[in-house]
Amino acid sequence: MRKKCTKIVIVCMSVLTLAACNDDEFSQDDFSQDDGDFTAVAPVPANLQSGMPEEKPKEMLSVADPTPPEVWLLSLYQQKPEHDPDRDVFYYQSLLDKILPHVHEDKRVVSNRLVQVTRQLADKGIKADQDELLVDFAHYLPAVNEKYVFGELIANYSNLRQQNIDHEQAMKTLFELI
């Protein structure tokens, strides 16, 4: 039985070897670009003709991103035209420290949700500011006795804002409902 298995393996390997030898190989000539019978699908956009565009700001902080959330929030704030040059990382750290004991998420997720909902509302033409949200959540959350899912709180805030409710009223309504 062993000899029979060995013969079968040898025959199979021989067949595979012969089959591989018959493959047509492509030469470099098959891919030459001297023909000149190809055209570009579209011209290069003007903003890319001089190199890569400016770096787009981060939409969210990934888990692998080593940037501390408070540093990221500060960098977003500093992009505003009338920012306070004296504001520092500790400002954001203290606000996040007031929120974190009352939510299940960590500061990276809280920061991401703040920025995400602000941008989503802005895309719908609703003025929202992540710094104002951060300040108000840091103000309201310490008054509650339970822990909440921050993602749900911010989603409910977003829903209220989309009902043509201003920021202050949306925050008051949100915390009256919880």
Side-chain angles (χ1 to χ4, degrees), residues 63-129:
V63 175
D65 190 334
T67 306
E70 54 272 18
V71 171
W72 180 54
L73 290 171
L74 177 62
S75 72
L76 294 175
Y77 172 73
Q78 289 172 337
Q79 293 172 12
K80 295 179 180 179
E82 297 181 18
H83 69 275
D84 177 5
D86 293 331
R87 186 176 288 184
D88 60 8
V89 171
F90 299 111
Y91 172 82
Y92 290 98
Q93 182 61 51
S94 68
L95 291 171
L96 289 167
D97 286 346
K98 290 177 183 176
I99 292 173
L100 294 178
H102 306 285
V103 298
H104 293 285
E105 295 92 335
D106 64 12
K107 64 183 174 179
R108 181 172 304 272
V109 174
V110 169
S111 300
N112 280 336
R113 296 296 168 260
L114 288 168
V115 173
Q116 181 183 39
V117 83
T118 301
R119 290 179 179 166
Q120 288 171 346
L121 289 170
D123 288 346
K124 295 178 185 217
I126 300 170
K127 184 180 180 290
D129 179 57

Side-chain angles (χ1 to χ4, degrees), residues 111-169:
S111 300
N112 280 336
R113 296 296 168 260
L114 288 168
V115 173
Q116 181 183 39
V117 83
T118 301
R119 290 179 179 166
Q120 288 171 346
L121 289 170
D123 288 346
K124 295 178 185 217
I126 300 170
K127 184 180 180 290
D129 179 57
Q130 68 250 10
D131 291 322
E132 185 177 30
L133 280 168
L134 183 63
V135 168
D136 285 347
F137 273 107
H139 169 75
Y140 282 103
L141 277 170
V144 299
N145 293 329
E146 296 180 39
K147 263 190 153 181
Y148 293 93
V149 175
F150 189 76
E152 288 180 14
L153 291 175
I154 200 81
N156 287 329
Y157 166 82
S158 177
N159 289 336
L160 290 167
R161 290 299 312 275
Q162 291 176 51
Q163 296 172 23
N164 293 327
I165 298 174
D166 69 2
H167 171 76
E168 290 84 21
Q169 188 58 45

